[in-house]
Amino acid sequence: NHLFVMETKSQPNSFADIYGFLLWIFVRTGSVLYLIWAVTPDWVWAVQGITYYPDRYWSIAIPTYLCVSWWALVLGYVGFGYYHTNEWHSIY
């Protein structure tokens, strides 16, 4: 029965596919490194000989700043659209 057989044509990978995969790898690796830095106690870093690293304040501050900035951007675009919308009684 040939009704359910579907022939697929092999297509070469596009640049978007490759860059998307690389971005996925970097985001996953960065997330793991961030979590390791955020939850590892100071004495573990000292044992490894690492004496300088950012303060743990930034493990909370950076995501907070990013979230607040994102929502400020969203609200800014909504306000911009609202400001430039014609009045209800406008004929334009």
Side-chain angles (χ1 to χ4, degrees):
N1 192 351
H2 296 290
L3 294 176
F4 298 108
V5 176
M6 187 169 119
E7 294 183 23
T8 59
K9 185 177 175 183
S10 178
Q11 296 179 358
N13 293 334
S14 68
F15 287 113
D17 294 338
I18 294 169
Y19 289 141
F21 179 70
L22 288 175
L23 180 65
W24 180 78
I25 293 289
F26 286 128
V27 166
R28 296 294 173 161
T29 304
S31 298
V32 168
L33 291 174
Y34 171 78
L35 287 174
I36 289 172
W37 165 67
V39 299
T40 305
D42 292 336
W43 65 268
V44 174
W45 297 113
V47 168
Q48 297 298 322
I50 300 172
T51 58
Y52 178 77
Y53 46 87
D55 191 22
R56 298 292 163 81
Y57 163 79
W58 295 107
S59 68
I60 300 297
I62 290 175
T64 303
Y65 290 154
L66 291 175
C67 288
V68 168
S69 298
W70 170 257
W71 286 110
L73 181 70
V74 168
L75 290 175
Y77 277 126
V78 169
F80 181 78
Y82 181 72
Y83 180 74
H84 289 286
T85 302
N86 292 331
E87 298 290 333
W88 284 102
H89 56 80
S90 175
I91 61 173
Y92 297 105

